[in-house]
Amino acid sequence: MIRTLASLALLLAPLPAAAQPAADIAAVRARAPTDELVYFVLPDRFENGDRANDKGGLKGDRLQTGYDPSAKGFYHGGDLAGLTKRLDYIAGLGATAIWFAPIFKNKPVQGPKGDESAGYHGYWVADFTAVDPHFGTNAEFKAFVEAAHARGMKVYMDIITNHTADVIRYADGEAAGYKYRSLADYPYSRAGGVDGRPINPGFLGDHVADPENWAKLTDPAFAYTPVLPKGEEKAKTPAWLNDPIYYHNRGNSDWVGESALYGDFAGLDDLATENPKVVEGFIDIYGRWIDDFGIDGFRIDTAKHVNPEFWQAFVPAMQARAKAKGIPHFHIFGEVYIDAVDPGALAWHSHAAGLPAVLDFAFARATIDAVSGTKGTADFARLFDGDLLYKGGAKAALELPTFLGNHDMGRFAMFVKQANPAASEAELLQRVMLGHAMLLTLRGVPVIYYGDEQGFVSDGGDQLAREDMFASQVAAYNDNDLIGSGATTATANFDTGHPLYRQIAALAAIRRQVPALSRGRTLVRAFSDKPGLLAVSRFDPDTGREVLLAYNTSAKPLAAAIAIDMKSTGFTTLHGDCPAAPAAPGSLHLSLPAFGAIICQASE
């Protein structure tokens, strides 16, 4: 199978982007989100294009600059110049959109003494209006967007409204770890608990969004007493973010119930997104990034930790801002981290919050379990049945970004390897390729996590899953055996001949040529409660032409009869080995090798 995929890649992979004429920006923006293949990258870990900005213009050791390329929790030197330099590599993979972790200016270092780390990942924002100097400048970001657009690629920014960097301190509660203080025990109407002095007279609660109501909330010491450390009174931009009145100030979230919305996310300053001034402030902040840079979409971090009413105002405002800029298909998708095949829980946010799409964690879990062999393929039937639960139904589900692993949960290859510790290198590669075949052909907008195309494995989630693409100095990365390659992360990994890179490029080319794979209806034909067969038909949205997809998640070959459309009287092989004709009208007999996949298109 590997040789076949490599051959397909040679035939179907696009020419290097530099050899193609500059794309028409209007044509790029005319593409629907369903037509994209997204490449997700952490800029700090991708490529160092300008060593002069490695320390972000700061002086001192790593606790001042945040820079230590030998430590997995600090800046390593990747930047916008490096991303721009490697755009042809990304485009050659077949990616048509690039989503990158936040590039806003972060607090360089934070954390308790002895356990500090840096904001290399971008999620500790101090200035929402500027690019972090470790990554470059606003002018360099504009040049990056223009370079991506010239290659026909869209640019998706990763944004945060739930929290800022950890600046606010509390006058008490350190001994108890700043335990969450609830609305019931610490109402807005009393200072420090129900027995405290009366404060905020006339405030009717955070569910009343009227500005006049919120003007009566003047004392933020209802739960904890917030304190701005000396020297950090003006640490945040825009300036309104420095006022504690715009934060919940209730202590650390325990991720359950009320605290999931009101609590500090691992100590980060949790914004009172119910406050209309906060809503207006973020609409202005992110609207300016659309106005000034012409970006094409937002991935929203920690979306489920923000009250739904915020998104009901924010999303339409961003869509309107984008349309005014000539961007008709501005793709907005939220992170709703639910590690289960639970489409209903994800779909709730499309109704209650009005999020147009969410990252499809249910798809990730179903694929990890099936390809790892820990479960059968039956969860896919439940997954696709759940598409009707989204606002807009199955058509809306086509815009869900699907993925196999990420920077928080860990890499897909890691899950496969953990479930199969005795598997050979060849088997691990076959399983990982099978997962990518599913990702590129089943419904949704496929997202490739940077490094997966080079066989990166990771030892865990979070920092352990954020390896360097350029030569790494991190021992915990460099001791990993990469899948499909004899290389390690101690050397740069931009090998366009890697079997996974070539497979993804080949399947991306097929996906571009076959509308059923990006916009087609899904009909599950067969599944199993044990490792084995999954068969799905997808249909061309204009002609109704059938494309049959079949996958074998077991370690043994299989053969099966599959129901097909009665109108499908012959098939062309797009990938794998497809029968030329049905065994009888409505029935196709197919054979699949271990960990095999086929794409069979009905003849016209």
Side-chain angles (χ1 to χ4, degrees):
M1 183 177 74
I2 297 171
R3 288 194 299 271
T4 301
L5 288 168
S7 299
L8 271 171
L10 290 173
L11 292 171
L12 297 172
L15 292 172
Q20 298 178 359
D24 176 4
I25 186 60
V28 173
R29 288 173 171 168
R31 293 197 312 254
T34 51
D35 294 338
E36 311 303 341
L37 170 60
V38 183
Y39 190 78
F40 171 41
V41 60
L42 272 66
D44 180 63
R45 302 300 165 89
F46 194 66
E47 178 65 293
N48 191 339
D50 182 2
R51 297 194 179 277
N53 64 25
D54 287 356
K55 295 184 178 181
L58 303 171
K59 298 184 183 300
D61 63 16
R62 71 177 195 169
L63 296 184
Q64 281 72 50
T65 68
Y67 178 70
D68 183 352
S70 68
K72 64 183 185 299
F74 285 78
Y75 285 98
H76 290 177
D79 48 33
L80 287 168
L83 267 178
T84 306
K85 173 185 174 182
R86 295 290 185 178
L87 277 173
D88 288 346
Y89 166 86
I90 299 170
L93 187 65
T96 59
I98 181 167
W99 150 34
F100 44 85
I103 57 167
F104 313 108
K105 186 177 181 180
N106 271 227
K107 186 174 182 179
V109 177
Q110 62 183 44
K113 188 175 182 179
D115 193 27
E116 300 93 345
S117 62
Y120 69 92
H121 43 68
Y123 295 100
W124 298 343
V125 183
D127 184 347
F128 288 84
T129 68
V131 169
D132 192 291
H134 290 88
F135 300 143
T137 64
N138 285 31
E140 285 181 288
F141 179 58
K142 188 173 185 62
F144 167 77
V145 174
E146 290 173 351
H149 284 164
R151 289 165 172 78
M153 299 173 69
K154 294 182 179 179
V155 176
Y156 297 159
M157 294 188 81
D158 202 322
I159 67 169
I160 310 105
T161 67
N162 177 67
H163 57 262
T164 70
D166 183 12
V167 173
I168 296 173
R169 297 288 180 265
Y170 299 135
D172 60 323
E174 182 175 5
Y178 303 113
K179 185 177 179 181
Y180 181 74
R181 293 180 174 178
S182 70
L183 290 162
D185 293 329
Y186 295 86
Y188 291 109
S189 59
R190 293 290 187 272
V194 293
D195 297 325
R197 61 182 171 80
I199 58 173
N200 303 317
F203 181 62
L204 299 177
D206 58 33
H207 63 288
V208 180
D210 188 279
E212 292 183 4
N213 176 53
W214 281 90
K216 296 172 184 176
L217 184 72
T218 58
D219 190 335
F222 36 82
Y224 287 97
T225 300
V227 176
L228 293 174
K230 187 176 181 180
E232 294 191 84
E233 297 89 347
K234 297 181 180 180
K236 300 176 186 178
T237 303
W240 63 266
L241 288 165
N242 294 301
D243 190 340
I245 201 67
Y246 296 118
Y247 297 82
H248 286 132
N249 304 312
R250 291 189 173 275
N252 288 324
S253 176
D254 56 20
W255 317 116
V256 177
E258 173 189 305
S259 81
L261 287 178
Y262 290 88
D264 293 342
F265 190 104
L268 298 167
D269 299 349
D270 196 71
L271 282 149
T273 46
E274 304 86 1
N275 190 320
K277 286 192 176 181
V278 174
V279 178
E280 293 167 7
F282 276 116
I283 287 174
D284 180 63
I285 286 169
Y286 290 122
R288 287 178 182 269
W289 286 94
I290 297 172
D291 294 344
D292 294 346
F293 299 96
I295 55 170
D296 305 286
F298 288 148
R299 178 266 190 184
I300 301 171
D301 182 62
T302 53
K304 75 174 184 177
H305 299 295
V306 175
N307 59 304
E309 296 81 4
F310 177 92
W311 302 125
Q312 292 168 12
F314 181 85
V315 168
M318 294 301 98
Q319 291 171 329
R321 201 77 165 249
K323 286 181 180 178
K325 183 72 176 178
I327 308 169
H329 299 293
F330 194 80
H331 198 191
I332 298 177
F333 51 99
E335 179 203 23
V336 179
Y337 198 151
I338 299 173
D339 188 15
V341 183
D342 190 352
L346 294 173
W348 182 88
H349 294 268
S350 70
H351 292 276
L355 290 174
V358 294
L359 284 161
D360 196 350
F361 279 88
F363 178 94
R365 176 44 56 193
T367 310
I368 289 168
D369 290 343
V371 175
S372 296
T374 58
K375 287 187 177 182
T377 59
D379 274 350
F380 283 100
R382 186 155 59 92
L383 173 73
F384 297 136
D385 283 347
D387 286 353
L388 293 175
L389 300 174
Y390 290 90
K391 186 176 182 179
K395 185 176 181 180
L398 292 170
E399 295 192 8
L400 302 179
T402 51
F403 62 99
L404 302 175
N406 64 24
H407 60 318
D408 292 326
M409 62 192 291
R411 294 186 180 274
F412 178 65
M414 177 194 73
F415 293 110
V416 172
K417 190 171 184 178
Q418 287 176 344
N420 299 275
S424 66
E425 177 79 9
E427 179 183 330
L428 291 174
L429 179 59
Q430 285 181 310
R431 286 182 183 269
V432 172
M433 293 179 92
L434 174 60
H436 282 92
M438 291 177 159
L439 177 68
L440 270 292
T441 55
L442 292 171
R443 74 99 181 95
V445 181
V447 178
I448 305 296
Y449 182 41
Y450 85 98
D452 280 2
E453 77 280 8
Q454 296 295 330
F456 283 17
V457 179
S458 81
D459 291 324
D462 200 73
Q463 294 179 6
L464 289 169
R466 300 169 182 179
E467 302 96 322
D468 302 309
M469 289 284 281
F470 56 99
S472 181
Q473 300 178 39
V474 178
Y477 298 161
N478 294 343
D479 64 2
N480 289 345
D481 293 326
L482 306 190
I483 290 177
S485 170
T488 72
T489 55
T491 58
N493 285 276
F494 295 97
D495 179 11
T496 57
H498 192 289
L500 283 164
Y501 185 99
R502 294 166 75 89
Q503 180 212 17
I504 293 167
L507 291 174
I510 296 172
R511 182 182 176 86
R512 283 194 302 274
Q513 296 164 2
V514 182
L517 298 182
S518 57
R519 293 180 281 117
R521 177 174 64 89
T522 292
L523 176 61
V524 176
R525 296 292 194 180
F527 57 87
S528 172
D529 60 355
K530 295 179 180 179
L533 179 64
L534 172 67
V536 172
S537 287
R538 302 195 65 188
F539 298 90
D540 187 293
D542 298 318
T543 67
R545 187 180 184 186
E546 182 177 18
V547 176
L548 180 70
L549 311 171
Y551 318 90
N552 179 8
T553 66
S554 75
K556 296 179 180 180
L558 65 78
I562 304 296
I564 56 171
D565 195 305
M566 296 290 285
K567 297 191 295 294
S568 298
T569 57
F571 285 90
T572 300
T573 297
L574 300 182
H575 171 67
D577 187 10
C578 299
S587 179
L588 188 72
H589 189 274
L590 57 81
S591 299
L592 285 167
F595 313 120
I598 58 174
I599 307 173
C600 310
Q601 186 175 52
S603 303
E604 291 185 291

